[in-house]
Amino acid sequence: MPNPDDSVPGAAAPDDGATVWLLRSRGCWQAAAALLEPAAAHSAEAALERAELLIERALFENRGWGEAESALRLAEAGARVDTTRAAAACARGYLAYCATLLQVHDRLDEAQMALGRASAMLPPDAPGRPLLDFRRGLVAENLLKDPAAARTTYRRAHAGAEQQRDDLLLSYTWRHLASIAQQDGNLAGARHGFAESLRLRELVGFAIGIAPALAALAEVSPSPEAVLLRAQAARLVRTFGDVPVWLAEERDPDGLRPDQRADQRDGQAPGRA
C-alpha cells in the first residue's frame, strides 16, 4: 500500500495524506476512503490506496466486501504501468486471502494466482516486494498450512521492511515470525517477536492494531501478565466499537477463545496485510 504521506499526482495533498493515516489508524476506514474518492477517479495511486483501506476495513469488520471489490476494480482499471498493475494484483490476492480466511468465500486459488502475477511483474528489489512477500507468507501459513514456506517469505519481507524502514510492515512480520516460533515451541522467540510487534504499533500510532498485538502477546506470557494484557485488549476492542470483530466475538466457530485465534487473523493486516 502506498505510504499515506507520499505525494502522488492527482492524489491527496500531504495534509490530506496525514489525515488519511490518522483516520485509518483509528479504524475510520470509510472516512479515509471518502477523502481519497475524488482523487481516485483520475489517479491510479489514489485508487489503489483507497482500495487497500477498504480491504483492511473488510478484514477488521468482516463487512463491506462489495465496497472493497468495487474500489479494487477501479484501481485495476486505472493501472497503466507494471508497478501499479503489480500493486493492484497484490491487493487482489490480499482481498481473496482475507475473504478465504474469514470464510466469506473460498478464494484460495484466486489469491495464489493474483500474488503470483504480482511477483512476475516485480523485480526482486522493487519497493513493493516486501509487502508482496509478506502476503504470500500469509497464504502459506494460514491457508496452505506450510509454516516452513511462510517463514522463508516472512524473513524476506522482514529484511525488506527493515531496509525501507517500514515500521508498520515490520510490526506484521515480527508478529507472524513470532507466530511460527510459537508453533515450533520457541516461546522465548515468540514473546520477543510479539513484544516487538506491539512496540512498533504503539510507535507508529496504529491504534486499531494494538488490541490484536496485546492478545497475541498474552498467549505466550505467564499469568498474571497474560490476564492484564487480555484485559487491555478487551478495553481497546470496546473503545473501537467491537473492532476487530474476531476479538469481539465471544467464541470462534471452532470453539476457541478470541485470544487463542488472534495470531491467525490479524492483518493477516496490514494495513499491510
Side-chain angles (χ1 to χ4, degrees), residues 37 40 47-48 50-52 54-55 58 64-78 92 95 107:
E37 190 168 5
L48 181 60
R50 181 171 178 270
E52 289 274 13
L54 292 172
I55 293 168
W65 298 96
E67 291 176 71
E69 180 68 39
S70 296
L72 181 54
R73 285 178 181 169
L74 177 64
E76 290 169 331
R92 167 66 59 190
L95 176 59
R107 298 171 62 177

Side-chain angles (χ1 to χ4, degrees), residues 1 4 22 32-33 49 101 104 112 139 143 149 163 172 176 229 255 273:
M1 177 175 174
L22 185 65
E49 184 173 0
L101 184 75
V104 178
Q112 290 180 287
V139 171
L143 302 186
Q163 186 175 18
Y172 279 99
H176 289 277
L229 289 168

Side-chain angles (χ1 to χ4, degrees), residues 21-119:
W21 165 249
L22 185 65
L23 290 168
R24 176 195 170 192
S25 68
R26 284 154 177 73
C28 302
W29 296 282
Q30 283 183 295
L35 195 61
L36 289 169
E37 190 168 5
H42 52 80
S43 165
E45 290 86 354
L48 181 60
E49 184 173 0
R50 181 171 178 270
E52 289 274 13
L53 285 168
L54 292 172
I55 293 168
E56 187 170 82
R57 178 233 179 175
L59 174 68
F60 274 70
E61 296 186 349
N62 197 9
R63 62 175 179 165
W65 298 96
E67 291 176 71
E69 180 68 39
S70 296
L72 181 54
R73 285 178 181 169
L74 177 64
E76 290 169 331
R80 296 288 183 267
V81 297
D82 279 353
T83 52
T84 311
R85 291 190 187 101
C90 183
R92 167 66 59 190
Y94 188 54
L95 176 59
Y97 162 80
C98 293
T100 305
L101 184 75
L102 295 186
Q103 301 178 347
V104 178
H105 298 290
D106 185 352
R107 298 171 62 177
L108 172 58
D109 290 344
E110 180 186 354
Q112 290 180 287
M113 287 189 292
L115 294 175
R117 230 176 20 250
S119 183

Side-chain angles (χ1 to χ4, degrees), residues 5-6 13-14 53 60 77 83 88 103 155 163 179 189 219 239-240 265:
D5 293 327
D6 285 348
L53 285 168
F60 274 70
T83 52
Q103 301 178 347
R155 284 175 174 168
Q163 186 175 18
S179 175
E219 276 300 293
T239 297
F240 286 112
R265 291 190 176 174

Side-chain angles (χ1 to χ4, degrees), residues 21 25 158 161-162 165-177 192-210 213-214 217:
W21 165 249
S25 68
H158 190 84
E162 283 186 323
R165 298 181 180 179
D166 187 336
D167 286 339
L168 182 58
L169 181 54
L170 277 171
S171 82
Y172 279 99
T173 55
W174 270 118
R175 174 181 178 79
H176 289 277
L177 286 168
H192 175 71
F194 287 138
E196 279 297 294
S197 177
L198 175 60
R199 181 185 68 81
L200 287 167
R201 291 185 180 196
E202 292 174 336
L203 177 68
V204 301
F206 189 48
I208 194 68
I210 289 176
L214 288 165
L217 182 58

